[in-house]
């Protein structure tokens, strides 16, 4: 019997935020305590504990609508990897999704995509995570505040389903900024190691790039953005401005597409949220 066969999958609660944060921090992910609290209060989060009761693996199913849900926070602490725990947890998420009757989506690292493909996930769009460590400091007028209703409308058009509760949560966090200049709209929020820009909506690449440039000029620390790879002019403009590519992500879907989005955004809310 494998050493993990007798480890039970359990559903986690808010009291597990510190344990989850420890695993995602070990993996050098950008999630912070607010992210974990949101998942543990709004999603179905599964976990596995070691014999000493320490949390060693997690996976979450976040229902966004009656038809679509996101799988994320698939994490295994280093000393317990490659023993099948991630596959077991994803299977548990898929079983829950089947009971709910929802289509599942996720954003996978290259290693994760190799695992999810055999489970029946099919690739859709690709993402590129980029980082800017030293934004240029420029003194200028503050960016105008954007409207939450506009953000929700743009997001529904891009995703094909309503994520209002998520966007309200992210925009309402301490330190978050929802900014607009009339041609583009973007959300900026805190992460564990860097501020995250996204989603970003605009009517053309030039306006999206100007928005990101203006945000970067008003920030003092490192920044992350998860750009949609098919927005080639946008990604090229970011790299020319000093952003460096950290890693790719592959968006994948399990089941048939029940909804269809229009033109994708220039950047997404993050691989944990879609």
């Amino acid at each position: 019997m494998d050493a993990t066969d007798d480890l039970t999958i359990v559903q986690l609660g808010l009291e597990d935020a510190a344990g989850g944060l420890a695993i995602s921090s070990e993996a050098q992910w950008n999630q912070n305590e607010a992210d974990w609290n949101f998942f543990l209060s709004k999603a179905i989060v599964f976990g596995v504990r070691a014999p000493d009761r320490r949390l060693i693996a997690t996976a979450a199913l976040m229902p966004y609508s009656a038809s679509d849900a996101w799988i994320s926070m698939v994490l295994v602490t280093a000393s317990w990897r490659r023993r099948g725990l991630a596959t077991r947890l994803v299977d548990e998420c898929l079983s829950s999704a089947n009971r709910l009757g929802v289509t599942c989506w996720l954003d996978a690292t290259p290693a994760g995509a190799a695992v999810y493909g055999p489970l029946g996930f099919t690739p859709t769009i690709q993402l590129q995570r980029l980082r800017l460590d030293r934004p240029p400091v420029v003194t200028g007028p503050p960016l105008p505040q954007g409207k939450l209703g506009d953000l929700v409308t743009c997001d529904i058009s891009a995703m094909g389903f309503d994520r209002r509760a998520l966007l309200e949560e992210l925009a309402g966090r301490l330190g978050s900024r929802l900014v607009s200049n009339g041609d583009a709209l973007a959300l900026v929020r805190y992460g564990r190691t860097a501020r995250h820009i996204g989603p970003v909506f605009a009517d053309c690449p030039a306006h999206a790039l100007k928005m990101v440039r203006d945000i970067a000029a008003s920030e003092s620390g490192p920044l992350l953005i998860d750009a949609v790879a098919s927005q080639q002019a946008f990604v090229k403009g970011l790299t020319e401005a000093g952003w460096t590519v950290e890693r790719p992500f592959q968006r994948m879907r399990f089941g048939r597409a029940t909804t269809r989005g229009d033109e994708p955004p220039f950047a997404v809310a993050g691989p944990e949220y879609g």
Side-chain angles (χ1 to χ4, degrees), residues 17-64:
L21 182 59
I23 301 176
S24 60
S25 299
E26 177 195 56
Q28 299 183 12
W29 286 16
N30 197 44
Q31 286 78 28
N32 57 20
E33 186 175 0
D35 293 310
W36 276 103
N37 284 334
F38 183 70
F39 274 99
L40 290 165
S41 61
K42 302 297 183 182
I44 306 168
V45 186
F46 298 104
V48 175
R49 302 186 195 281
D52 63 4
R53 306 301 299 160
R54 177 172 54 97
L55 186 63
I56 58 173
T58 64
L61 177 72
M62 175 71 76
Y64 279 139

Side-chain angles (χ1 to χ4, degrees), residues 64-245:
Y64 279 139
S65 68
S67 60
D68 293 89
W70 215 264
I71 293 177
S72 61
M73 311 307 268
V74 182
L75 287 154
V76 181
T77 194
S79 59
W80 286 85
R81 290 175 190 163
R82 297 178 179 83
R83 306 191 197 187
L85 290 177
T87 299
R88 287 179 58 195
L89 286 164
V90 171
D91 282 342
E92 194 71 28
C93 289
L94 291 174
S95 295
S96 294
N98 185 58
R99 289 192 292 271
L100 293 172
V102 295
T103 294
C104 287
W105 303 77
L106 56 76
D107 288 337
T109 63
V115 173
Y116 303 133
L119 295 179
F121 284 84
T122 57
T124 59
I125 65 171
Q126 290 186 321
L127 307 172
Q128 292 279 2
R129 167 159 286 191
L130 296 98
R131 184 182 185 95
L132 185 65
D133 280 314
R134 295 185 179 179
V137 179
V138 178
T139 302
L143 286 166
Q145 183 173 344
K147 296 180 180 179
L148 182 62
D150 292 342
L151 180 67
V152 172
T153 298
C154 291
D155 193 71
I156 291 174
S157 178
M159 299 295 294
F161 49 89
D162 193 336
R163 302 192 299 173
R164 184 184 307 267
L166 168 68
L167 299 175
E168 288 177 346
E169 155 72 17
L170 296 181
R173 288 183 186 173
L174 183 65
S176 289
R177 302 165 59 201
L178 177 57
V179 293
S180 174
N181 59 14
D183 297 316
L185 178 68
L187 179 64
V188 191
R189 60 183 173 87
Y190 277 116
R192 185 181 64 87
T193 64
R195 296 269 279 170
H196 186 274
I197 302 174
V200 176
F201 300 100
D203 53 12
C204 69
H207 289 155
L209 285 167
K210 184 179 186 305
M211 170 59 76
V212 172
R213 183 172 65 247
D214 290 346
I215 290 172
S218 63
E219 295 280 340
S220 59
L223 297 169
L224 290 174
I225 190 168
D226 294 302
V228 176
S230 62
Q231 301 283 14
Q232 295 178 4
F234 178 65
V235 175
K236 182 174 184 288
L238 290 175
T239 57
E240 290 175 348
W243 291 75
T244 58
V245 176

